[in-house]
Amino acid sequence: MQVWKFGGTSVGKPERMHSIRQLLVDDSSRKIVVLSALSGSTNALIAIGEAAKANETDSAFEQLEALRKHYDAFLEELYTTEAGLEKGKKVVESEFGYIRSLIGIRPFAPKHEKELVAEGELLSTKMFQAYLSEQGDSSVLFPALEFMRIDADGEPEMLEIETRLTAMLEQHADKKIIVTQGFICRNPREEVDNLKRGGSDYTASLIGGAIRAEEIQIWTDIDGMHNNDPRIVKRTFPIRELTFEEAAELAYFGAKILHPSTITPAKLRHVPVRLKNTMQPEAPGTLIANQSSDREIKAIAAKDNITAIYIHSTRMLNAYGFLRRVFEIFEKYKTPVDMITTSEVSVSVTIDNDTNLEAITAELREFADLEEHDRDQNIICIVGNFSADKEGIAMKVLDAMKNIPIRMISYGASEHNLSLLIHSKYKAEALNVLNERLFFYEDAMKDIFTAP
Ligand code: ASP
Ligand code: MG
């Protein structure tokens, strides 16, 4: 079995839903199809929730009516028969009726807000499955709220998900296309909850892991993960193959195409993840798996809004316990540290969440000297397969960066990552020079040496 996930833009127009159906029926394998809400719907529902919370009931209803118009028009183009359209109308009528009843609840609690945003995925999947049955396709809807569970810490209950899903699949063994909602789940209080913004990718990976799928496909509207940021760098290209580790680094370092947690469940169960483009289904996309045969340097990514903190031990050399005390403070303020460099007496760290910066630096000053921290920094991350016996990688990177001031360098933490900290004013230049040196230099050299 395969798991195919389609994001908001891939289901955002009736004609896109038509093409998705075509993709599904053209492929003979049995599938679980995970859908996001129609593009824009989650944001619209959140805004309606905000209005309800602020007691701006009129505004909430106005926004609801605007959203309703969008769905009404969508239905007209989605279905091809009267009977199909009637069914679609019933779905929209009933879900919007429920939203309307939620808006009136006072006090409007977080659990109501979550029920409200869940409507985006409930609408898209119910409308889509009604369309599949209108077209006579063998399909069934699996309500995610019946199998997708999180624990009190918001972590997925893997065993529970597996048991429930396996039973449901057995019960519907005759169905070829199984449609379900991304993003939404139930928490231990039996309330509707979610896997956080962009969480539909995560749903797909959790399902794929739970049923040990043959493959998970994440369908978006670009042709896979690119080797560099196409908004900043001209000559980028899709990466054919990545390992789970490389993909996780890239997702974390800002490659927007994939939610960073997505990889974990798939990786645990060795289920390959393929990124595909709905606009260009024949393109190979990016395959993420245990191993990759591709080139050693795979990609470059940048993470914005980084703050660097420079800490010097006030005690003499060889003071043990210093790092522990430093990191305890970051732990206390639940602030993840991204990058670290150390010398005998100093340690520099970077954070991307500076909410508690003042408190953190105040506590650090109790036992350390701090230099003025630097805001507006950027981590440039070079990802690939840099096993210890590969020589020349750092040289190539530093050579490309020779005209750009570097604040920190981190290499060797894993075999997949070399990170540099620079001021964000150099970000575009750094991404471009690295792109040329790391991906096009050898080609340029080859041309020079093989030229007649
Ligand atoms: N609809 C949700 C969101 O917009 C989940 C998703 O699309 O992945 O965040
Ligand atoms: Mg997404």
Side-chain angles (χ1 to χ4, degrees):
M1 261 190 103
Q2 300 200 353
V3 180
W4 287 16
K5 179 256 167 178
F6 296 91
T9 41
S10 303
V11 293
K13 295 214 170 87
E15 61 268 28
R16 306 295 300 272
M17 281 202 179
H18 295 159
S19 0
I20 291 179
R21 170 185 173 259
Q22 204 54 52
L23 287 170
L24 292 169
V25 295
D26 285 350
D27 187 281
S28 59
S29 70
R30 191 177 183 218
K31 282 179 215 72
I32 297 187
V33 179
V34 177
L35 301 186
S36 291
L38 313 194
S39 52
S41 286
T42 306
N43 287 342
L45 291 164
I46 289 174
I48 293 171
E50 294 292 328
K53 204 160 58 180
N55 242 323
E56 292 158 3
T57 316
D58 289 350
S59 154
F61 281 120
E62 263 165 42
Q63 294 179 59
L64 180 73
E65 284 324 307
L67 191 63
R68 173 68 192 257
K69 286 213 177 80
H70 179 69
Y71 277 84
D72 287 344
F74 197 103
L75 295 178
E76 297 292 335
E77 286 177 44
L78 177 59
Y79 300 99
T80 56
T81 65
E82 269 312 309
L85 182 60
E86 274 319 302
K87 218 164 145 192
K89 280 183 175 167
K90 277 208 183 102
V91 166
V92 169
E93 185 54 46
S94 135
E95 301 306 322
F96 272 80
Y98 189 62
I99 301 176
R100 211 169 285 125
S101 71
L102 282 170
I103 291 176
I105 296 175
R106 293 295 175 273
F108 188 77
K111 70 170 183 185
H112 302 122
E113 222 172 321
K114 284 175 171 163
E115 281 192 42
L116 188 63
V117 291
E119 286 298 324
E121 271 71 13
L122 290 169
L123 277 159
S124 66
T125 49
K126 289 183 182 183
M127 285 158 53
F128 184 66
Q129 200 261 329
Y131 168 59
L132 292 181
S133 44
E134 173 195 57
Q135 301 299 311
D137 306 326
S138 163
S139 69
V140 61
L141 185 75
F142 277 13
L145 299 178
E146 285 178 18
F147 66 85
M148 195 52 77
R149 317 279 304 194
I150 51 171
D151 64 18
D153 298 321
E155 293 298 322
E157 301 258 30
M158 284 306 284
L159 212 63
E160 189 70 28
I161 297 168
E162 183 174 344
T163 315
R164 288 173 186 245
L165 204 49
T166 312
M168 289 166 86
L169 284 171
E170 268 165 27
Q171 215 183 326
H172 296 274
D174 58 325
K175 295 293 191 302
K176 197 185 142 223
I177 303 172
I178 295 138
V179 181
T180 192
Q181 298 87 18
F183 179 59
I184 65 174
C185 58
R186 243 180 235 287
N187 63 30
R189 295 184 298 278
E190 294 298 324
E191 294 161 359
V192 174
D193 211 319
N194 62 61
L195 303 171
K196 313 235 166 68
R197 292 307 306 269
S200 294
D201 293 345
Y202 195 26
T203 302
S205 179
L206 287 167
I207 293 178
I211 64 164
R212 293 184 157 79
E214 165 204 331
E215 186 166 291
I216 297 161
Q217 298 195 350
I218 309 279
W219 290 79
T220 61
D221 50 6
I222 53 171
D223 49 358
M225 254 200 212
H226 274 232
N227 71 310
N228 206 329
D229 190 336
R231 292 165 303 183
I232 298 176
V233 174
K234 264 186 234 103
R235 294 207 279 174
T236 68
F237 49 86
I239 313 166
R240 284 284 165 84
E241 291 182 18
L242 280 171
T243 63
F244 286 116
E245 289 77 11
E246 292 163 348
E249 298 274 7
L250 281 177
Y252 182 68
F253 279 96
K256 291 281 172 318
I257 182 166
L258 209 59
H259 187 276
S261 333
T262 305
I263 313 292
T264 320
K267 182 181 172 214
L268 275 173
R269 294 248 164 121
H270 311 290
V271 181
V273 178
R274 198 184 287 275
L275 309 178
K276 296 275 289 176
N277 184 357
T278 19
M279 306 301 269
Q280 228 186 308
E282 61 298 333
T286 301
L287 178 67
I288 305 166
N290 281 334
Q291 291 190 338
S292 108
S293 56
D294 229 331
R295 53 192 304 154
E296 59 190 24
I297 298 179
K298 301 282 179 44
I300 305 165
K303 199 161 187 234
D304 302 336
N305 295 320
I306 302 292
T307 300
I309 306 170
Y310 310 104
I311 308 157
H312 307 292
S313 169
T314 43
R315 287 206 251 126
M316 47 306 125
L317 297 178
N318 288 332
Y320 52 81
F322 179 68
L323 287 176
R324 180 183 50 75
R325 293 183 72 187
V326 168
F327 288 114
E328 265 170 6
I329 294 172
F330 288 94
E331 187 182 347
K332 178 171 164 194
Y333 290 99
K334 294 192 164 55
T335 301
V337 169
D338 284 326
M339 203 173 151
I340 313 165
T341 56
T342 61
S343 78
E344 193 68 32
V345 286
S346 306
V347 47
S348 302
V349 303
T350 69
I351 56 175
D352 74 341
N353 172 357
D354 61 4
T355 324
N356 295 309
L357 183 64
E358 288 307 314
I360 290 171
T361 50
E363 290 205 27
L364 286 170
R365 281 205 182 87
E366 288 173 15
F367 61 92
D369 284 336
L370 261 58
E371 258 172 63
E372 186 58 36
H373 53 259
D374 284 324
R375 286 184 196 265
D376 216 6
Q377 303 292 297
N378 224 284
I379 295 178
I380 304 288
C381 162
I382 295 108
V383 169
N385 172 19
F386 312 149
S387 36
D389 57 353
K390 294 255 166 72
E391 71 287 332
I393 289 178
M395 186 275 287
K396 283 183 199 161
V397 169
L398 294 178
D399 181 50
M401 295 285 290
K402 63 183 172 239
N403 295 319
I404 299 174
I406 300 173
R407 301 298 316 235
M408 286 168 64
I409 302 178
S410 173
Y411 183 48
S414 81
E415 293 189 335
H416 314 289
N417 177 326
L418 190 164
S419 295
L420 305 166
L421 186 76
I422 59 169
H423 192 281
S424 54
K425 68 184 170 200
Y426 300 116
K427 171 181 163 181
E429 188 187 347
L431 291 180
N432 276 287
V433 292
L434 284 165
N435 204 61
E436 287 305 309
R437 179 68 177 86
L438 302 181
F439 296 108
F440 294 101
Y441 183 78
E442 259 110 65
D443 296 346
M445 284 296 125
K446 227 184 288 151
D447 289 348
I448 291 171
F449 291 121
T450 57

